[in-house]
């Protein structure tokens, strides 16, 4: 039983990361019917943003919850800006063309980010600084949970609930649901659809960056191609949960993480 519980904890930890990334896939698809294949690379850029922020601000030498919070929010902001830039300069110009055009563009953006990452950051893996001193708490027998796993669970759940509140309890969330239902009708209702689309990209990219920083606290090795496999698994999670369905993406991520671990 303790082995089962331990693997369940490990699986749900990984699944929480997949769920955060899958939310970006499912939101963009719900709005534009576009599979943003570059989303896994935003996860990678979020991890590297956190790496450089932590070193520049001195948090790598003095681990603290404050330092982790600043690094996490900073990485989310950087990734949100990158996501907005990708939407503005890569996807918006081809939005009116055939869906295959946007799909090929998404693959091209993904390859561009991966190879730029290799050029700028180098191909060798880097060790992410420990921003919070890790401790392990024994549950029973050999089953234990670490502070980094608790952090992943707590932050992931908080971000998912925040997203749910934004989508279902705010004016911009109502506009997002309207655009998802019918983009042209939303325009006729006076909704600034371009703003809603870029806001969706920013929100999804920020969640992916949070996943990158949290993963780096659990597994501190980061490298420019780290988003390829993780992004594909998160995409599968989004499809499993019914792409375009936010609670489904969360459930799909947890199921994929648990299945992979078991």
């Amino acid at each position: 039983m303790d082995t089962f519980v331990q693997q369940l904890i490990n699986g749900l930890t990984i699944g929480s990361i997949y769920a955060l990334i899958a939310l970006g896939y499912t939101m963009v698809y719900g709005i534009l019917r576009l599979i943003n294949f570059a989303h896994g690379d935003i996860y990678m850029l979020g991890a590297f943003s956190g790496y450089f922020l932590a070193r520049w601000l001195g948090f790598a030498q003095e681990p603290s919850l404050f330092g982790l919070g600043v690094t996490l929010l900073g990485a989310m902001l950087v990734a949100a800006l990158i996501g907005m830039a990708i939407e503005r300069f890569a996807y918006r110009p081809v939005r009116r063309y055939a869906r295959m055009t946007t799909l090929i563009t998404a693959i091209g953006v993904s390859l561009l980010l991966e190879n730029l990452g290799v050029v700028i950051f180098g191909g060798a893996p880097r060790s992410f600084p420990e921003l919070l001193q890790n401790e392990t708490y024994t549950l029973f027998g050999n089953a234990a949970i670490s502070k980094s796993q608790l952090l992943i669970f707590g932050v992931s759940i908080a971000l998912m609930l925040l997203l749910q509140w934004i989508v279902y309890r705010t004016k911009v969330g109502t506009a997002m649901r309207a655009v998802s239902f019918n983009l042209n009708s939303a325009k006729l209702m006076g909704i600034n659809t371009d703003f809603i689309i870029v806001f969706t990209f920013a929100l999804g990219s920020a969640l992916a960056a949070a996943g990158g920083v949290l993963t780096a606290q659990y597994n501190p090795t980061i490298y420019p191609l780290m988003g390829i496999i993780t992004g594909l698994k998160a995409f599968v999670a989004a499809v499993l949960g019914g792409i375009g369905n936010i609670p489904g993406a969360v459930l799909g991520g947890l199921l994929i993480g648990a299945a992979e671990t078991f």
Side-chain angles (χ1 to χ4, degrees):
M1 178 56 71
D2 55 353
T3 303
F4 174 81
V5 171
Q6 184 64 67
Q7 297 309 321
L8 181 63
I9 291 170
N10 295 341
L12 293 180
T13 300
I14 300 171
S16 298
I17 303 298
Y18 293 160
L20 283 177
I21 304 171
L23 286 170
Y25 279 111
T26 206
M27 284 193 301
V28 170
Y29 184 84
I31 295 289
L32 284 181
R33 301 297 183 267
L34 164 69
I35 299 170
N36 181 17
F37 282 113
H39 194 61
D41 303 298
I42 298 293
Y43 157 84
M44 174 271 293
L45 291 174
F48 272 97
S49 299
Y51 171 84
F52 288 112
L53 281 170
R55 291 175 66 88
W56 289 338
L57 297 175
F59 298 135
Q61 287 74 35
E62 298 179 8
S64 66
L65 189 60
F66 173 76
L68 176 61
V70 172
T71 301
L72 182 67
L73 292 174
M76 291 174 70
L77 178 60
V78 171
L81 293 174
I82 293 172
M84 292 166 67
I86 289 173
E87 191 282 327
R88 176 63 185 86
F89 297 108
Y91 295 144
R92 190 179 300 182
V94 299
R95 198 190 299 163
R96 64 182 182 275
Y97 298 119
R99 193 164 295 173
M100 183 60 69
T101 305
T102 56
L103 182 64
I104 293 170
T105 303
I107 295 172
V109 171
S110 176
L111 292 172
L112 176 66
L113 293 178
E114 289 162 14
N115 287 281
L116 276 179
V118 173
V119 171
I120 296 171
F121 307 132
R126 300 189 185 215
S127 180
F128 198 94
E130 188 179 79
L131 299 179
L132 193 64
Q133 291 182 343
N134 206 5
E135 299 176 16
T136 301
Y137 307 102
T138 302
L139 300 177
F140 63 90
N142 293 320
I145 188 169
S146 66
K147 187 178 285 187
S148 60
Q149 288 176 315
L150 288 171
L151 174 74
I152 289 172
F153 287 137
V155 175
S156 297
I157 291 170
L159 289 175
M160 291 171 196
L161 291 175
L162 177 62
L163 175 64
Q164 194 80 350
W165 178 78
I166 290 173
V167 171
Y168 291 101
R169 293 287 185 270
T170 65
K171 186 176 290 186
V172 70
T174 303
M176 287 171 66
R177 286 183 283 127
V179 173
S180 175
F181 185 75
N182 191 307
L183 189 142
N184 290 324
S185 295
K187 285 182 179 178
L188 293 174
M189 292 291 104
I191 294 173
N192 185 344
T193 54
D194 284 339
F195 169 78
I196 295 302
I197 291 169
V198 79
F199 177 79
T200 302
F201 270 86
L203 200 56
S205 298
L207 292 175
V213 173
L214 292 174
T215 301
Q217 286 300 291
Y218 181 62
N219 179 15
T221 302
I222 61 173
Y223 52 97
L225 303 183
M226 63 184 284
I228 299 175
I229 298 300
T230 304
L232 285 175
K233 290 176 182 177
F235 172 64
V236 172
V239 173
L240 178 64
I243 194 160
N245 184 341
I246 290 176
V250 175
L251 181 60
L254 296 176
L255 285 174
I256 291 292
E260 176 186 342
T261 303
F262 282 123

